[in-house]
Each structure stands twice: as C-alpha cells, then as structure tokens.
Amino acid sequence: MMVTALVAACSSSDKMQPTDDFQYCNERFADIEMLRYKVDGFENLTLKQKTFIYHLQEAALWGRDILFDQNGRYNLEIRGILEKLYTDYKGDRKGKDFLAFEEYLKRVWFSNGIHHHYGCEKFTPAFSKEWFVENTGCRDEIAEVIFNPEVMAKRVNLAEGEDLILTSACNYYQGVTQAEAEDFYARQKAAGDPNRPLMYGMNSTLVKGADGKIREELWTTSGKYGATLTKIVENLRKAREYAEDAEQQAVVDKLIAFYETGSLKTFDEYSIAWVENTAPVVDFVNGFIESYGDPLGLKSSWESIVNIKDLDATKRAEKLSAEAQWFEDNSPVAKEFKKEKVKGVSAKVVRAAILAGDLYPSTAIGINLPNSNWVRAEHGSKSVTIANLTHSYAQASKGGGMLQEFSFGKEEIELMEKYGDLTDDLHTDLHECLGHGSGKMLPGVDQDSLKAYGSTIEEARADLFALYYLADKKLVEMGLLPNEEAYKASYIKQMQNGLLTQIVRIKLGDQIEESHMRNRALIARWAYEHGKGKAANGKNVIEIVKRDGKTFVKINDYEQLRELFGELLAEIQRVKSTGDFAGARDLVEQYGVKIDPVLHKEILDRYEKLNIAPYRGFINPRYEAVRDANGNITDVKISYSEGYAEQMMRYSKYYSLGGK
C-alpha cells in the first residue's frame, strides 16, 4: 500500500529559486512536470553497499516491460512503433504533427502505456491518423486502438453497475467476465486456509481458452514474462553476494524462489522474511505488489524501489513505531476492531536510489508492506517515507501560486507556509507506519470482500488515522510537532484538496475514478456534510465560501473537525473489519465519485491561469560500474545529467525483451 503526493505546483513563471543548487525541475509536457531527485550520501557508502545497489537497480530496470504489458495488451507493440518513428523520422521535426506525436510518446512513456497514469482514460492523439499510418505503416488494428476513442477507452473502469473487467483495458484477464473471475477466485479461497489466506490471483493472467475452460497463466521464469523475470533473477543473484547480512540474503533467495515457482505460499514466506529484516541500510522492493491497476483489486502490478536508510530522519519514524500500541489502544474505533497486541511495526525514512515499474516515473512518497492482512497481523509491517522525493516535490513547488489562489485567507496561508512541509511528512509517517498497520479483520472475513471499493476504503482508513492523530497533543509531547497549532496545516490541506483542488486532475465532465482521489473526496465531503451546525458557535464545522466569484474552504472549528475524522475512521474500520461491501459502496459512491460541474469548471479555470502542471514524475539517476581488468567492480558512479527522452530510449534499448 502506498501514499501518493497530492497536487503538483511547478513551472510557474514566478517560481522562487530552490534552496539548494540541485536542479529539481527538468522539463514539462502536456500536464506533466519532470523532476530529478538527489541520492544524498551515495558516495559515502561502502563499495559493498554501492555494488549491492548497482545490481538491485539492474534487476529493477528489467521489469519495465512487464508493467507496460499489464497495463494493456498492445502497449509494447505501440511503444516500439512510436520509438522507431521517433528515431527514424526524416520529415519536419518542428512540424505540427511531429511535435504532437512527440508529446504523445512522452505521455505513453510516463504512463507505461496509452492510458493516463492517474485518470485511466485513453490519450487522444493530436496528430492525424493519416500522418501516423503513412509514416509507420502500422496495421489497422493498432491504428484503431490508438485513434478510436471507443476502443479500450479506460485502463481501469470502476463505474458501478458495469462489468468492470470487460470495460477495462488492463491486461490481467482474457476472455472472462467479472462474474466468472469472481467465481473462479471465490472457489480458490473456499478451498484454502481461511486464517492464513493466500493472495489468490496476484501473479497470474486469468484466461478463458477456446475450450471454454478458465485457467491461470502464472508469471514465472518458466511461464508468462519468463525471459524478463529470468533477467531480473540473474541480477538478484548477483546482488545477493553483496547483501548486508545473512537474513537479507535469505530474503533474496525467497524472492528468487517465488519468481521461479510462482508459489503464493513462497511469496508469503518471502514477505515474512522481508518484513523481519530491518537492520540493513540498503533495502529494496521488487515484485508484484499493488493492485490498484486491477478493477477487482486482485492482480498485482510489477514495481521496484531500491532505497538507502536516512539514519537521522528515521528517528522520527522510529518514535512513532515504538508507540504503535498506544496509538492502537487510543484509536476511536470500536474495541472489537482493534489489535490486542501490535506486532512488528517497523518504520524508517529513506532516500530512493532507483524507481521502476509502477513506481516510475510517477511514484509514491510512502510505502507500507506487505499487503497480506494475516502476515501483517502475525509478523508486522515495514513502512518507509521517501524523503528525497518529498524534498524534490517541496523544492519544485515553491512560488507556484497554488497556495495563494485557493486558500481562504492570510491565516491559512501562514499556517501552510510555516508547518505544511512538516505536517506532510508526519502525515505520510502516520499513514504508512501506523495507519495501514492498525485495526484487524474479524475471523473469517475475506480481505478482498470490498472488491472494487477495497483500495479506496483502505487508503481512507490510513489517511483518517493520520489526520486524527496529527491533532493529538501526544505528537507535541513526543517532540514531533512544535506546538498544538501546527496540525491545522494538514487539516487545511485535506479539506482544500478533497473539496476543491484535486479535481484539477480531472477533465470537465468526468467523475473521480482513482482510488486515492476517491479517498480524499470521501473524507472531505463526509466531514463537510456531517459537520453542518456542529461547530462550537453553532456554525458549520466547514464552510464553502464564495468571494469575488471564487469558491474557498473555511474551517470554523478544528477540534470538532478532528472529532468528525474520528467518527469516520470508526465507521471505515467497521466496514473494513466486517467486510461490509454495501457499506463501502454507499460511502464511496455517495461521497467519493461525483463532481459538481459548475464548481469543476471554476476550479479548472482558476488553475489554468497559474500555468502549473497537475502531475509530476521523476527522472532516475544513472549508475555506472567501474571495473578493473578482470571485470570486478571497483566503484559505482552516479550521475544526474540524463534527459527524460534519453533515459526512456536507453531503457527500451537495454532493458527490453518485448514483454517475453
């Protein structure tokens, strides 16, 4: 489970200069700003640690094609056609069609396919079909997929009442309906251990053959994606020799065994070994992890991150994890949904060294794993806040004008400027370190019982946990907040974002689809509706204020807003713990989906005048091994000069087997 950054604010003409000399902003295209992140301290690592990172980042980069294929069955073929045209085109490279094509290609790279990475809608080419076919000679089927808006229109469709598989373009199912897929996995779960259920379906494509029988194609070194997974395993084996301790070597061994066999039991064993290995400075995630890209929330997309522990900043996260039982005991949720004993909660702040798969170029700023509820209950969880990414976001956002445009008044702006960065980091820590690890499922409840609403409910649960405790004086007593006013910055951001600003990411007329966005809308809208008349002075807890033709959010009672967050957290936890599908559906559909079109247009118009990009992603640093005459690595160099297109073309050239 991951937490994403909220709203970008970069590329404004009046941007302030970053506070250091590193060049964070690189380039902008469409609705995207590309940033760089700095891996501070890499040069001071031992040769063993550098070499470990080098081989792990090689293993990470080899997984890119898996995600492209998971996101859509034509993505790799289309990417190959686009890249060949990009390289070979002899016509006017400043002409209208080529420039539109170049932007389209950059968007495909960014989203790992032809659908928007966040909204999931298919990109509409601004170049002509005739120009494209003439210059590529591509087959009719591919041209139809690219240019016909009715074909494969959404990568993930979550619209209530529709067959979510048949209407989604993701490539996890072939020839099966939603009902058939749900029945297939329901039978697997019924035959399994209800107390320690496997994550059925997470590493396979579900296929209906010509004979009408449904079967799974496992993603293993000898199955689907076999050649690519073999490359990943080769580099994991090289990395193993440089692991920091025997326990970390055992983690690598279990991961390799999982890739070779596809055994879900082995994956659980790997997850347990990984979550219990907390000592190393260098750590990694590599595998089939998150299920946001599957409308049923079962199949897991491939991703990887290699990271380095930030020893000083980790002290903040360790303070929280050390008090995990206190937070659990004092949660506003019902006693029957609390853990009697919180186990194995570890947390750290890290610096990303490489991003790959579903974490690249758009990435999370915090991660909490594993996703298996029984593993978390018995063995704990490992959480990371990715400090160098949040630092890049903060530096790139300075002076964008977003805060001034959408804040109600001077008080809100001053609170955000003074405490916004600090409370953002603490929110991520609480969300990942404690929020996802809190609460428990009742015996016999299927962790997938909330189906398409599961991801939204889980993200809302973790966000509400963070919001509730950010206002607790406990954080001041722990030295994590300077005073009892600082938390207000996080409440302002939550309500602004959930009620107003996040919809700048959505086209006029569309509704909210992405799980993190639904979560934020659900929280803000529920609190707004349930806070009417409940402020200490009899006013609404949150007001929607019109001034000079503009809409603003004003919080009248911060303490009562905290109580509302606690009430909603208790209900969300009940829904999660009991597997109440109807309750989840009602919450999400009522508060998390629909957008007022008049308000939507106003927000889009105001945002457009700021000339800032609503989305941001990262260009990776480049690592090069220095070798002696015998081929032994004597040093690893890191550089930050590679451009976006240059990096994407290099990855396609050196880390691609065409999805095999």
Side-chain angles (χ1 to χ4, degrees):
M1 284 163 276
M2 63 178 69
V3 62
T4 59
L6 300 184
V7 173
C10 199
S11 289
S12 175
S13 58
D14 65 342
K15 181 186 298 299
M16 294 167 57
Q17 291 299 312
T19 57
D20 56 51
D21 293 331
F22 189 79
Q23 297 299 309
Y24 293 96
C25 289
N26 180 261
E27 70 170 283
R28 177 176 171 178
F29 55 90
D31 56 357
I32 295 164
E33 180 87 20
M34 297 305 303
L35 308 180
R36 298 188 188 277
Y37 60 95
K38 191 175 183 181
V39 190
D40 286 315
F42 177 80
E43 294 83 357
N44 300 325
L45 297 175
T46 66
L47 177 59
K48 182 180 180 181
Q49 290 170 323
K50 289 181 179 179
T51 307
F52 189 44
I53 289 173
Y54 176 77
H55 291 305
L56 287 175
Q57 64 92 31
E58 288 290 294
L61 296 179
W62 269 108
R64 179 172 178 245
D65 280 3
I66 296 176
L67 181 65
F68 264 88
D69 189 71
Q70 289 177 321
N71 283 347
R73 59 180 295 195
Y74 297 101
N75 280 338
L76 285 169
E77 184 177 355
I78 290 172
R79 191 189 76 192
I81 293 170
L82 297 176
E83 289 176 345
K84 188 175 188 306
L85 177 57
Y86 182 72
T87 301
D88 296 348
Y89 186 66
K90 304 301 183 185
D92 181 7
R93 298 180 77 92
K94 298 295 183 182
K96 178 181 177 182
D97 278 318
F98 186 83
L99 291 177
F101 155 77
E102 186 177 32
E103 179 177 284
Y104 180 85
L105 172 57
K106 289 180 177 181
R107 298 185 76 182
V108 169
W109 281 333
F110 189 88
S111 295
N112 297 286
I114 62 174
H115 297 85
H116 197 282
H117 71 289
Y118 216 74
C120 293
E121 71 276 7
K122 190 169 70 173
F123 300 133
T124 301
F127 51 92
S128 72
K129 181 178 179 180
E130 293 73 23
W131 177 89
F132 182 72
V133 172
E134 178 184 350
N135 284 282
T136 62
C138 74
R139 56 195 178 94
D140 292 341
E141 186 177 10
I142 292 297
E144 187 76 356
V145 169
I146 293 174
F147 289 94
N148 188 336
E150 304 301 321
V151 176
M152 304 180 79
K154 300 204 71 170
R155 177 170 59 86
V156 180
N157 178 35
L158 296 177
E160 185 182 20
E162 298 183 9
D163 187 307
L164 302 185
I165 289 179
L166 296 182
T167 57
S168 295
C170 57
N171 195 24
Y172 295 117
Y173 305 92
Q174 294 178 13
V176 298
T177 65
Q178 179 179 346
E180 288 171 332
E182 290 176 342
D183 177 67
F184 183 89
Y185 289 114
R187 284 186 279 110
Q188 285 193 354
K189 292 174 183 177
D193 182 350
N195 297 316
R196 293 181 175 179
L198 301 175
M199 297 186 70
Y200 295 104
M202 62 160 279
N203 64 327
S204 67
T205 304
L206 193 63
V207 178
K208 182 190 283 188
D211 57 3
K213 294 182 179 180
I214 298 176
R215 67 185 190 282
E216 288 185 302
E217 292 184 353
L218 288 181
W219 307 331
T220 67
T221 54
S222 59
K224 189 174 177 66
Y225 306 131
T228 298
L229 289 171
T230 296
K231 286 288 188 181
I232 293 172
V233 166
E234 286 175 1
N235 285 284
L236 288 173
R237 285 203 170 97
K238 292 177 182 178
R240 181 193 185 279
E241 302 307 311
Y242 302 92
E244 294 192 37
D245 53 35
E247 289 76 16
Q248 194 170 51
Q249 286 186 325
V251 171
V252 178
D253 290 341
K254 282 293 183 182
L255 179 57
I256 290 172
F258 167 65
Y259 278 145
E260 291 179 334
T261 65
S263 165
L264 295 175
K265 184 175 185 298
T266 300
F267 181 78
D268 282 347
E269 292 169 353
Y270 153 72
S271 297
I272 293 167
W274 178 82
V275 80
E276 293 180 346
N277 182 231
T278 58
V281 172
V282 178
D283 202 358
F284 70 99
V285 172
N286 184 300
F288 304 110
I289 307 297
E290 300 292 355
S291 58
Y292 301 104
D294 174 13
L296 301 189
L298 298 173
K299 307 295 180 184
S300 295
S301 59
W302 191 91
E303 68 179 45
S304 185
I305 179 174
V306 182
N307 58 75
I308 305 165
K309 186 185 292 186
D310 185 326
L311 298 177
D312 290 333
T314 292
K315 294 175 183 176
R316 180 187 75 224
E318 288 176 340
K319 283 184 179 181
L320 289 173
S321 59
E323 295 284 352
Q325 191 66 57
W326 183 91
F327 284 98
E328 185 76 2
D329 292 343
N330 289 276
S331 168
V333 308
K335 184 177 180 180
E336 62 265 36
F337 306 138
K338 294 181 183 180
K339 289 179 178 175
E340 293 81 7
K341 186 175 181 180
V342 178
K343 298 179 181 179
V345 175
S346 67
K348 58 186 176 181
V349 179
V350 303
R351 295 185 291 272
I354 202 75
L355 305 167
D358 213 6
L359 290 172
Y360 169 84
S362 177
T363 190
I365 55 174
I367 300 172
N368 177 278
L369 295 171
N371 287 328
S372 169
N373 280 314
W374 80 261
V375 173
R376 297 163 72 85
E378 294 187 20
H379 299 275
S381 61
K382 188 188 288 185
S383 304
V384 299
T385 300
I386 312 172
N388 58 340
L389 301 187
T390 59
H391 180 71
S392 292
Y393 280 134
Q395 292 299 304
S397 297
K398 292 185 182 299
M402 189 84 173
L403 180 61
Q404 291 72 21
E405 174 61 32
F406 290 100
S407 293
F408 174 74
K410 183 179 179 181
E411 178 184 351
E412 285 81 2
I413 293 172
E414 289 178 348
L415 282 166
M416 290 286 286
E417 289 180 336
K418 193 170 184 179
Y419 302 118
D421 289 349
L422 173 60
T423 55
D424 278 355
D425 286 343
L426 268 177
H427 182 280
T428 302
D429 288 344
L430 286 162
H431 175 112
E432 297 294 352
C433 302
L434 300 177
H436 280 309
S438 66
K440 68 178 182 180
M441 305 286 287
L442 294 186
V445 175
D446 180 2
Q447 74 171 32
D448 298 317
S449 58
L450 303 185
K451 301 180 181 178
Y453 301 106
S455 293
T456 297
I457 293 297
E458 178 56 29
E459 292 305 320
R461 193 175 72 91
D463 263 357
L464 285 162
F465 188 99
L467 289 164
Y468 181 78
Y469 278 115
L470 272 165
D472 200 296
K473 63 182 180 180
K474 175 83 169 178
L475 296 189
V476 180
E477 294 170 358
M478 293 171 68
L480 298 175
L481 284 179
N483 55 56
E484 294 184 22
E485 292 288 305
Y487 81 91
K488 293 180 179 179
S490 66
Y491 281 29
I492 294 166
K493 186 167 187 176
Q494 166 60 41
M495 299 311 297
Q496 279 185 5
N497 202 51
L499 291 174
L500 303 179
T501 56
Q502 74 167 359
I503 60 177
V504 302
R505 294 179 162 189
I506 299 173
K507 292 180 181 178
L508 186 62
D510 288 352
Q511 303 299 329
I512 303 174
E513 292 272 1
E514 201 275 335
S515 296
H516 294 84
M517 294 181 74
R518 284 184 166 191
N519 142 48
R520 296 177 198 127
L522 189 165
I523 293 172
R525 293 170 179 178
W526 188 96
Y528 171 71
E529 291 294 336
H530 287 76
K532 291 180 177 178
K534 291 186 178 180
N537 57 6
K539 293 184 177 181
N540 296 340
V541 174
I542 305 114
E543 280 189 78
I544 303 295
V545 180
K546 281 281 191 179
R547 186 176 65 210
D548 299 327
K550 295 181 178 181
T551 304
F552 298 92
V553 174
K554 183 177 184 292
I555 300 173
N556 289 320
D557 191 330
Y558 287 90
E559 292 181 7
Q560 188 59 40
L561 181 54
R562 188 205 183 198
E563 294 302 310
L564 290 169
F565 288 152
E567 289 177 28
L568 183 55
L569 173 58
E571 174 60 9
I572 291 282
Q573 184 64 61
R574 183 200 67 77
V575 167
K576 170 87 172 181
S577 295
T578 62
D580 181 2
F581 174 79
R585 180 194 59 212
D586 291 346
L587 280 170
V588 176
E589 292 294 338
Q590 183 174 354
Y591 298 105
V593 177
K594 298 178 178 61
I595 304 175
D596 176 354
V598 176
L599 175 64
H600 196 181
K601 185 177 187 308
E602 176 205 322
I603 299 301
L604 289 174
D605 288 345
R606 291 164 64 186
Y607 185 77
E608 184 179 8
K609 294 176 183 178
L610 297 176
N611 188 32
I612 55 180
Y615 300 99
R616 289 175 291 187
F618 290 97
I619 301 170
N620 279 324
R622 182 171 182 174
Y623 296 87
E624 294 187 81
V626 180
R627 300 179 186 270
D628 62 19
N630 297 318
N632 299 311
I633 295 178
T634 59
D635 196 8
V636 178
K637 300 293 186 182
I638 185 172
S639 63
Y640 303 97
S641 59
E642 191 169 38
Y644 174 61
E646 180 185 5
Q647 182 161 102
M648 291 297 182
M649 292 297 287
R650 179 170 67 88
Y651 286 176
S652 293
K653 181 177 181 179
Y654 293 107
Y655 300 99
S656 177
L657 294 170
K660 297 179 181 178

